[in-house]
Amino acid sequence: MNQYDINTVKVLEIELTTFCNANCGACDRNINGGPVNLKMPLHHMSFDTWKQIVQDKNLSNIITLSFDGNFGDVSMHPNIIEFLEYLSNIKDDLFIKVSSNGGARNASFWKQLATTLQKFRSHEMQFAIDGLEDTNHIYRRNVNWNTLIENVTAFNTAGGISTWRTIIFDHNKHQIIEMSQLAKELNFFRFKTYRNRATPIVVDRYKNLPSGVITSPTTEEFEQNYKFMDQFKDIKMSHKSPNTFIKFIDYSCPFAEEQTIVIDPNGQTWPCCFIQGNVVTSHKEFPYNKWNINNLNKHSLTEILEQFRKHLYPAWKTGSYNICNKCLHKTNKPTQYTAQ
C-alpha cells in the first residue's frame, strides 16, 4: 500500500486551533450548538510544533496546504500571519487553501491575511456563508453579518482570492441566486453550494441563541435542484496532484485518493479528519492505542506514515473500523481494497 508514503502524500490538512467564534449546530466542538464539548481540549498550535511540520523533509513533495479543521476556525489562531510568513520563507511554491466562517477578527486582519497569502504560488479563501443577513445566523450561530461582510470585503479588496461556500438548508435554498449575485458584487472569485450531510440538526437554547430544528433537502433533491456553482473570474488554480497511485474499486476513501493527511494543533497526525474527530469525541469507537506513533513532535512523518500503512490496509479489507464504515464521503462499502 504505497498511498501513505512520504513520496506520495501531496496535501497537508492542518488544524491550527480548536477555538472558534461560532456555535454551528452540527459541529462536534459544541453540544447541540451550545456549550463547548468537554471532551475537546481548547488550544492553539505552538510555534515549536509548526516548525516541526514546516521542514524541507516534510514539504518536498507537498503541493497543497489546507488550513481547515474539525473544531476550530483558523482565524482564531493569534499567530496565523506569522506562521504563514515563516512558511513562505521555507517554501512558497504551494497552493494554500483556508476555510473560515469569516466572522472573527476585523477588516485589518483580513486585509493582512490577503496580502500574506499572495506570497504563495496560489491560494483560495473559502468563506462558509450559509445564507443572507436573515438566514446565515440560523446555522452559523454567533456570526455577526455586518462584521462578516466587512471582513470579506477587506480580504477581496486587498487582492485575496475567495469562494463563497454555502451549505444548502431548507431555510436558505430559495436564496441561491441572490447569494450568487451578492458574491459577485463583493468581488468573490466564485459561489458554490454544498449539500448538508446531517439532517435534521437539533440546536438548543444557549445564551442569546434560540433552540430549533434545522432541516435540509435530501441528497437527491440537492443534486437535482440546488447543486450550483457560478464563477465570476477567469482564475485557474492548480492544486491537485497530477499523479494517482491507487485506484479504489470496492472502497473509496476521499482522503487517501486525494493524497491527504491531517495534522491537529498538537502535532498529532491522522489519515483523515473523521478518525481524528472520532478519537476526540468518542474514544470507545476507535482502537486509539494502535495510533500511539502519530505525533510529529516525537516521530518523523516517515515513521507515522508507515504506521498508517500497517493498520489501514487490513482495516479497509475487513471493514473493521466503524469510523471508516460510517464515513459520509465514501461512495462504496469498505469490503475489499484493490491496488492497481
Side-chain angles (χ1 to χ4, degrees):
M1 183 181 178
N2 59 353
Q3 183 61 37
Y4 291 102
D5 183 90
I6 193 67
N7 297 310
T8 61
V9 170
K10 302 295 183 181
V11 182
L12 299 183
E13 182 174 301
I14 300 175
E15 183 170 37
L16 289 182
T17 180
T18 55
F19 284 84
C20 188
N21 58 302
N23 290 80
C24 301
C27 182
D28 286 337
R29 80 177 308 276
N30 54 59
I31 300 172
N32 296 337
V36 174
N37 191 329
L38 295 178
K39 295 180 180 179
M40 186 199 66
L42 292 172
H43 54 273
H44 301 298
M45 180 178 287
S46 69
F47 189 56
D48 286 341
T49 297
W50 181 241
K51 288 191 292 185
Q52 289 297 321
I53 299 170
V54 182
Q55 299 184 37
D56 289 336
K57 64 180 181 180
N58 295 333
L59 300 179
S60 59
N61 293 299
I62 299 299
I63 60 175
T64 297
L65 256 67
S66 174
F67 292 94
D68 205 342
N70 271 345
F71 307 114
D73 192 287
V74 67
S75 65
M76 297 292 288
H77 195 288
N79 306 115
I80 173 61
I81 301 295
E82 290 82 356
F83 278 26
L84 288 171
E85 293 282 0
Y86 181 83
L87 172 64
S88 69
N89 290 325
I90 303 297
K91 183 174 182 177
D92 60 4
D93 185 22
L94 291 166
F95 172 78
I96 306 294
K97 185 177 78 171
V98 187
S99 300
S100 173
N101 62 58
R105 300 289 197 111
N106 55 31
S108 177
F109 164 80
W110 288 99
K111 178 181 178 181
Q112 187 178 7
L113 179 60
T115 301
T116 303
L117 287 173
Q118 291 172 68
K119 295 183 178 183
F120 297 93
R121 172 169 51 82
S122 57
H123 72 272
E124 179 185 13
M125 180 71 225
Q126 293 191 347
F127 285 106
I129 308 174
D130 300 325
L132 298 171
E133 184 173 7
D134 62 332
T135 53
N136 182 59
H137 63 280
I138 295 175
Y139 179 73
R140 298 286 166 187
R141 288 153 59 99
N142 255 347
V143 175
N144 180 275
W145 180 259
N146 292 330
T147 300
L148 166 63
I149 296 302
E150 290 175 2
N151 290 344
V152 300
T153 299
F155 183 87
N156 292 341
T157 302
I161 300 172
S162 65
T163 293
W164 178 320
R165 185 184 193 277
T166 189
I167 299 174
I168 295 301
F169 300 100
D170 285 329
H171 60 257
N172 68 7
K173 63 186 181 183
H174 63 289
Q175 297 178 321
I176 291 176
I177 299 303
E178 194 175 352
M179 283 189 283
S180 182
Q181 290 173 344
L182 180 57
K184 184 177 182 180
E185 292 173 11
L186 293 174
N187 205 30
F188 277 85
F189 158 58
R190 63 182 173 181
F191 169 82
K192 190 174 183 181
T193 63
Y194 291 80
R195 69 178 176 89
N196 181 32
R197 305 187 194 101
T199 186
I201 299 170
V202 178
V203 293
D204 297 336
R205 180 178 295 278
Y206 178 66
K207 295 182 179 179
N208 64 331
L209 303 172
S211 61
V213 178
I214 302 172
T215 59
S216 309
T218 65
T219 299
E220 291 73 23
E221 290 173 334
F222 173 82
E223 293 290 335
Q224 292 177 8
N225 303 317
Y226 305 112
K227 188 175 183 179
F228 181 84
M229 187 181 79
D230 205 356
Q231 186 166 316
F232 315 117
K233 301 177 183 180
D234 185 20
I235 300 175
K236 295 181 180 179
M237 295 180 293
S238 177
H239 61 281
K240 296 292 185 181
S241 171
N243 302 312
T244 51
F245 297 87
I246 298 294
K247 299 294 184 183
F248 295 85
I249 295 177
D250 296 299
Y251 178 68
S252 178
C253 173
F255 277 77
E257 286 184 337
E258 295 183 6
Q259 300 165 288
T260 301
I261 59 172
V262 175
I263 304 174
D264 71 18
N266 286 326
Q268 289 182 298
T269 308
W270 306 94
C272 70
C273 65
F274 306 107
I275 291 178
Q276 175 213 359
N278 194 65
V279 168
V280 172
T281 59
S282 182
H283 291 270
K284 295 180 180 179
E285 292 188 19
F286 188 76
Y288 183 49
N289 60 317
K290 289 186 177 181
W291 301 89
N292 56 354
I293 303 177
N294 73 330
N295 196 311
L296 277 171
N297 291 301
K298 300 178 180 179
H299 304 279
S300 70
L301 187 57
T302 299
E303 291 176 307
I304 294 170
L305 293 174
E306 286 175 355
Q307 182 179 233
F308 289 177
R309 293 197 301 275
K310 176 182 177 181
H311 293 298
L312 281 173
Y313 178 85
W316 287 355
K317 194 170 183 179
T318 62
S320 59
Y321 283 177
N322 284 334
I323 187 62
C324 291
N325 299 340
K326 296 176 183 178
C327 175
L328 293 173
H329 281 290
K330 66 181 175 61
T331 56
N332 298 294
K333 295 180 181 179
T335 55
Q336 183 179 355
Y337 170 86
T338 304
Q340 290 186 338

